[in-house]
Amino acid sequence: MPKMTERERLAKIEADQRNLAQEAETVRRGLRAHYGKLATELAVERLSEREFRDVLGQAIRVGGGAALAALKALPAASDDPPARGLPAKAGAAARGKSGAALPPGSEAGGASQATVQP
């Protein structure tokens, strides 16, 4: 077998890279489809689409182990669907100077109590 020239070797390496990238994309799509099928077995209808995306995005961002540890430390939610807004009493108390509702876990002073320890 004759020795390959540098140009032929480079062309082969580039073709191999394209093939590997295509294979990686195929496997990635298959894995995502598999995880999507797993979600059909979960009660995702209790979350809004935005909440679902945010929960998954944050879990992926911090890593599965850290996300699980933080979530397991939280109390269990009731079986009732979550309310879409603050109760009247809590709404007035949780508003800052601008009148906008603050996100859960924050105070009017701006300090966050979001420290979760397993």
Side-chain angles (χ1 to χ4, degrees):
M1 183 165 153
K3 186 176 179 180
M4 293 172 56
T5 66
E6 291 295 313
R7 188 181 306 249
E8 292 169 335
R9 190 168 155 242
L10 178 60
K12 182 185 180 317
I13 290 170
E14 288 174 343
D16 290 346
Q17 283 180 327
R18 282 190 303 275
N19 290 338
L20 285 173
Q22 186 176 10
E23 184 178 354
E25 185 61 28
T26 301
V27 171
R28 183 177 294 114
R29 287 180 188 273
L31 183 60
R32 289 177 179 179
H34 173 71
Y35 278 35
K37 288 177 188 173
L38 293 176
T40 63
E41 299 171 9
L42 302 173
V44 297
E45 63 276 4
R46 296 183 64 195
L47 301 173
S48 69
E49 183 175 338
R50 182 182 184 121
E51 290 168 337
F52 180 75
R53 285 179 171 271
D54 287 349
V55 166
L56 286 179
Q58 293 298 329
I60 291 167
R61 183 184 66 82
V62 301
L68 283 174
L71 290 170
K72 285 181 179 181
L74 296 173
S78 68
D79 289 336
D80 297 331
R84 296 287 176 212
L86 295 173
K89 291 181 196 173
R95 295 187 191 281
K97 292 179 182 177
S98 67
L102 297 173
S106 64
E107 297 180 41
S112 176
Q113 297 176 348
T115 305
V116 177
Q117 296 178 358

